[in-house]
Amino acid sequence: MKRYFAAFISIALLLWATAAAAQGAKTIENHKVFGDYRVSYSVFNSDFISPEIAQHYKLVRARDRAFVNISVSKVGETQGTSAGVSGNATNLIQQSRALEFKEIRDQGAVYYLAPFRFEHEESLTFNIDLVMPDGSTQELTFRRQLHKN
């Protein structure tokens, strides 16, 4: 009987925790539409990239390194297209660092990666300047908090 009661309590706590997490969950925006173009963006730790891929594209993997990934595509299309991408990352005390984007072409896809170093639990604001394929210029700003794995 005690086992059934313990199992019941465990399941009840699990359901409560799931409901609480769902209420507090926020949707993290990862794209923005500028006219006919969709700009997708992400930030991820460098160890997300396999050692083989990192070696192939000469990307450095380390615990304190991450990448900003930008892709520009025509709305409704899945593969990226060439664009001009530059920008910087600014921390909470307004220290800014330039981002140097490298164009990656892989199986017809085009995207841009910029490596940078970060401190554990550092919150950064990314300011990205874009020259779209049609020649127009756009600005993209987003914030992410980074954690060392």
Side-chain angles (χ1 to χ4, degrees):
M1 187 66 162
K2 281 186 174 182
R3 286 178 52 193
Y4 290 116
F5 182 73
F8 174 78
I9 294 298
S10 296
I11 291 172
L13 286 173
L14 178 63
L15 291 173
W16 174 78
T18 303
Q23 281 183 331
K26 292 181 182 177
T27 302
I28 296 177
E29 186 175 286
N30 64 356
H31 73 277
K32 188 165 184 177
V33 175
F34 297 102
D36 293 337
Y37 295 96
R38 175 185 170 117
V39 177
S40 298
Y41 53 93
S42 62
V43 177
F44 56 89
N45 291 33
S46 65
D47 57 2
F48 179 75
I49 297 175
S50 72
E52 298 79 24
I53 298 294
Q55 183 178 7
H56 178 75
Y57 289 107
K58 297 180 175 75
L59 303 172
V60 177
R61 297 173 72 237
R63 195 165 176 257
D64 67 341
R65 295 195 185 205
F67 290 95
V68 179
N69 179 31
I70 304 289
S71 175
V72 177
S73 61
K74 209 65 162 143
V75 171
E77 295 181 8
T78 57
Q79 292 193 341
T81 185
S82 292
V85 182
S86 61
N88 65 57
T90 306
N91 65 16
L92 294 176
I93 59 173
Q94 301 307 303
Q95 294 171 322
S96 182
R97 60 194 92 157
L99 297 171
E100 294 183 26
F101 285 91
K102 178 179 183 176
E103 184 178 88
I104 305 289
R105 291 180 174 268
D106 186 39
Q107 299 177 0
V110 179
Y111 53 95
Y112 298 87
L113 288 179
F116 63 93
R117 289 186 173 175
F118 67 95
E119 298 296 323
H120 184 59
E121 296 189 8
E122 184 172 25
S123 183
L124 295 172
T125 300
F126 296 90
N127 301 297
I128 309 299
D129 296 314
L130 301 156
V131 178
M132 307 305 271
D134 64 4
S136 66
T137 59
Q138 301 293 338
E139 293 180 8
L140 173 66
T141 300
F142 60 95
R143 179 175 287 165
R144 294 291 185 267
Q145 184 165 4
L146 297 147
H147 305 273
K148 291 181 183 177
N149 293 336

